[in-house]
Amino acid sequence: MTSGLLLTGVVKDFPVAGGTQRVLEGIDISVTPGEFVCVVGASGSGKSTLLSLIAGLAAPTEGSITLDEEPVTGPGPDRGLVFQTGELFPWRTVAGNVGFGLELLRIPRAERAARVAWYLEEVGLTAYADTLPGKLSGGQRQRVAIARALACEPHVLLLDEPFGALDVQTKEDMQIFLRKVWQDTGTTVVMVTHDVEEAVFLAQRVLVLASNPGRVASEMAVDLPAERSLTDRRTAEFLGMRTVIEDLVRDQHSSVVGG
């Protein structure tokens, strides 16, 4: 049984003219294996910086980050990362993009092909295996990016505003898709989003970050059914949780800007 993701006393400072700026302070977060956690907060709360630290793209100034009791000291295949733009290799086909990480891991060709085929089926893009990314829609490109991250079978999938650039209808479709993939794979997910409604719909738990410096101000368990549909957004339970979290985010922002 793995122990999951653990951040203890994490601080992150960045150099600025004449000194340093503290972006994150005293971050303590524990994410259990298979959990879906969303992180919300106003601009300046350090959401993306937090995800970069977990991904190993940057090191904390103080504190520690461990995954399954192993220290995070840099990027690794145990963490998959997807950004808002879903950057793909334009010269590689959809299948070639999904299989890229498997090539780096020197997965045998037959296993690589089987794994790519499974994830393409999972994200509904089997028919596009030989298509170049330039011929895909925004939502399709994000599906490929998520499949590529998951193909390496990471312990944690990290998502940084993955649907922020999509239109409303595509965004809703992708949210339904992501819930299904999470349930099918059992992968731990940590997702950063500015959209509180999205966070409540997707997550089992929502963390609210305060700003300047970023720190965990509050957290809320999302007490909704495991099977969710878009109609759930109209229930009193959903609207109540969304309102509470929006108020928490708004209160933290107001305290920074002076009311």
Side-chain angles (χ1 to χ4, degrees), residues 196-211:
V196 171
E197 182 169 307
E198 177 174 77
V200 174
F201 181 72
L202 290 173
Q204 294 175 296
R205 184 161 52 106
V206 178
L207 305 180
V208 179
L209 295 190
S211 302

Side-chain angles (χ1 to χ4, degrees), residues 87-93 97 131-134:
E87 296 293 345
L88 303 175
F89 300 117
W91 60 88
R92 278 180 167 252
T93 64
N97 269 280
T131 303
L132 291 173

Side-chain angles (χ1 to χ4, degrees), residues 48 51-52 55 57 79-88 123 138-151 154 156-164 166 174 177-178 181 189-193:
S48 293
L51 218 60
S52 294
L57 300 178
R79 282 148 292 137
L81 179 60
V82 178
F83 294 104
Q84 180 177 8
T85 52
E87 296 293 345
L88 303 175
V123 302
Q140 288 171 329
R141 286 194 294 273
Q142 283 297 72
R143 286 177 185 242
V144 175
I146 291 171
R148 180 176 62 187
L150 287 172
V156 179
L157 177 63
L158 304 171
L159 303 172
D160 191 358
E161 301 275 9
F163 310 140
L166 303 178
M174 289 297 293
F177 152 77
L178 182 58
V181 170
V189 178
V190 178
M191 176 174 167
V192 160
T193 177

Side-chain angles (χ1 to χ4, degrees), residues 49 72 84 131 159 203 225 239 242:
T49 299
V72 171
Q84 180 177 8
T131 303
L159 303 172
L239 294 173
R242 189 190 74 181

Side-chain angles (χ1 to χ4, degrees), residues 27-38:
I27 300 291
D28 295 310
I29 296 173
S30 177
V31 181
T32 59
E35 190 177 12
F36 197 134
V37 173
C38 277

Side-chain angles (χ1 to χ4, degrees), residues 12-16 19-23 49 58 61:
K12 183 60 179 176
D13 296 333
F14 285 106
V16 295
T20 60
Q21 178 181 2
R22 180 148 296 184
V23 178
T49 299
T61 306

